[in-house]
Amino acid sequence: MTPASPSIRPVRPLGTDFRHVVRDQLRKSAAARGLDGVLLLAPANVFYACGFNFSVNERPIGLYVPVDGEAKLFVPLLELENAEPVEGVTLGIYEEFPGLVHPVVWMVCQSRATRIAIDRLDARQLAPLKTLIDDVLLDDLAAPLRFVKSPQELELTRVAALYADLCLARLHAEAGSIINQGGSELDLLADCTGFALAALKRDYGASFAGTKLGISASVHSGPRAALPHGATSARRPQPGDTLISGIGCSLGGYHAESGTTLIVGEISPEQRRVMVAMEACNDAAVGALKPGARCQDVNDAALDALKAADLGDAIRHRIGHGMGLEGHEAPWLAPGDMTEVLPNMVFSNEPGVYRPGRDGYRTINTMLVHADHVEIPSRFLADTTIDQRVIAL
């Protein structure tokens, strides 16, 4: 049975008003540190602050946001026509990379700043910059702003989660038929991603033209499911296998994830035991994800549920990560991240059990933090009970 596409929602790409607010927040952060301005070089930060969606390559693109005055977008000459429509900025053009003067050094000179924050920098450029200006602060002032999403960003995340779910629903519905016809992991991946991407483009492609919009996914099965980042292969899933699929969807540049573990054929008692433990792990993460908690403590609370099920030796990674303009971004639900959880943060929730040479399991939900609850816009796991997560052959 082919799954139905989600209802189309009235969402649009983030506009100039949103970018103006971001730049004003950057100005305030720079002024509070006694700086003249902020130079953003990370592609996601540039997009966040001005909306310029570009092809990332060796040629640096930067956005300088001064405490006083208009922001300036620095691009190589070959990007001139692509950059001209960007609103709220003036343009600075350099000819080519690497150039007689490195483009980043040139950008700093063009900014006329004497004290500047830069979000990321090639270490080889630090020495020449220190001879040109009084102070270079290597600090990503955009990161704390990106941690906490606006209502518009959260809505894009919700819609993206629906299409990640759609990809899983298609896999669940069609996997048995594909495998019975001799299909491999690659065939399963092509079918479900092609179906979901076609629906996403049909529903939002016109209104989100020129933004990041897409589906990314993995499917791996059997003993290879014990590899957390196992690559999809030509292997044909076999009866009794676990089959992991993790789906990412981006809409307007904003990411959401959904993922499941399916059993090829019937679920064994041991497989059910593991899947129940993983559900408890997922629920523990949701329960611990409250404003005021530390990210590290959320990770600890979640993974303690797996340890209680005698699966501690099968843990290979943290419980989750932040999501937004990047599929993986800070803050991290992981050891060592003391970031305070705040309302409107977005995280993944990824219980994983990996037993090399035997099997592997992972589920994924997207979590949106609110003042008094956690919203789960990815619904495949909630709508598909453990007993239903089978591929009938």
Side-chain angles (χ1 to χ4, degrees):
M1 179 177 175
T2 300
S5 294
S7 299
I8 300 175
R9 298 193 185 187
V11 292
R12 302 287 298 179
L14 299 178
T16 54
D17 289 346
F18 175 85
R19 313 297 175 188
H20 282 305
V21 170
V22 170
R23 294 197 293 272
D24 284 345
Q25 291 175 314
L26 287 168
R27 290 185 176 99
K28 291 177 183 177
S29 295
R33 292 164 173 78
L35 302 171
D36 298 318
V38 182
L39 178 62
L40 302 177
L41 297 173
N45 284 345
V46 174
F47 178 77
Y48 180 61
C50 75
F52 183 38
N53 184 36
F54 55 92
S55 174
V56 178
N57 55 57
E58 71 279 3
R59 301 174 180 91
I61 288 176
L63 179 71
Y64 178 65
V65 182
V67 170
D68 297 306
E70 194 168 23
K72 192 161 190 175
L73 179 61
F74 297 111
V75 301
L77 180 59
L78 86 170
E79 293 283 6
L80 172 59
E81 289 76 14
N82 291 327
E84 283 178 331
V86 178
E87 298 182 10
V89 302
T90 59
L91 294 182
I93 309 298
Y94 67 90
E95 287 189 0
E96 190 47 285
F97 175 87
L100 298 177
V101 176
H102 191 280
V104 172
V105 175
W106 174 81
M107 292 177 197
V108 173
C109 291
Q110 292 292 306
S111 75
R112 302 185 183 277
T114 60
R115 302 191 72 237
I116 192 170
I118 303 178
D119 57 351
R120 72 179 193 185
L121 186 67
D122 187 323
R124 291 169 292 186
Q125 307 313 320
L126 185 57
L129 287 178
K130 285 188 172 180
T131 67
L132 296 172
I133 60 178
D134 295 337
D135 189 18
V136 178
L137 175 65
L138 298 180
D139 193 4
D140 186 352
L141 301 190
L145 306 180
R146 287 174 53 191
F147 288 176
V148 179
K149 274 61 176 180
S150 68
Q152 301 100 308
E153 292 172 289
L154 293 178
E155 188 63 11
L156 291 174
T157 304
R158 292 185 184 100
V159 176
L162 295 176
Y163 287 83
D165 280 343
L166 181 64
C167 193
L168 287 182
R170 174 70 177 196
L171 175 68
H172 189 218
E174 297 296 326
S177 175
I178 293 171
I179 293 171
N180 281 335
Q181 295 175 55
S184 68
E185 295 172 358
L186 290 169
D187 296 314
L188 296 171
L189 182 67
D191 179 78
C192 66
T193 56
F195 179 83
L197 183 59
L200 181 65
K201 288 183 175 180
R202 179 196 65 222
D203 296 343
Y204 296 100
S207 56
F208 282 82
T211 71
K212 186 176 181 182
L213 178 149
I215 300 286
S216 59
S218 64
V219 174
H220 49 294
S221 62
R224 296 183 61 263
L227 306 174
H229 282 169
T232 305
S233 75
R235 180 184 188 274
R236 181 188 180 194
Q238 300 297 311
D241 281 353
T242 57
L243 185 147
I244 292 176
S245 183
I247 313 297
C249 177
S250 59
L251 178 66
Y254 283 82
H255 292 76
E257 293 183 3
S258 188
T260 192
T261 299
L262 302 174
I263 306 301
V264 182
E266 297 183 0
I267 301 176
S268 72
E270 172 61 12
Q271 288 169 335
R272 182 186 302 277
R273 182 185 78 85
V274 174
M275 294 169 81
V276 168
M278 291 175 58
E279 195 166 84
C281 177
N282 174 89
D283 294 347
V286 172
L289 191 68
K290 298 177 180 179
R294 298 184 305 177
C295 286
Q296 172 179 273
D297 296 338
V298 177
N299 178 75
D300 290 344
L303 297 189
D304 280 348
L306 290 181
K307 295 173 184 177
D310 197 27
L311 293 168
D313 291 342
I315 297 172
R316 300 291 290 272
H317 56 70
R318 65 196 173 209
I319 192 59
H321 54 78
M323 286 188 289
L325 289 173
E326 296 171 284
H328 286 213
E329 64 181 38
W332 316 100
L333 299 180
D337 195 324
M338 303 301 176
T339 304
E340 179 183 347
V341 176
L342 297 171
N344 297 339
M345 286 183 168
V346 178
F347 295 97
S348 71
N349 185 352
E350 305 186 36
V353 170
Y354 307 98
R355 302 187 289 194
R358 183 176 178 182
D359 57 12
Y361 306 74
R362 184 171 63 249
T363 60
I364 310 174
N365 267 322
T366 296
M367 303 186 292
L368 279 54
V369 182
H370 296 283
D372 57 356
H373 73 286
V374 174
E375 176 187 353
I376 312 293
S378 50
R379 303 306 303 166
F380 182 86
L381 294 175
D383 295 342
T384 312
T385 66
I386 289 174
D387 287 335
Q388 294 173 319
R389 295 175 205 167
V390 296
I391 298 171
L393 299 178

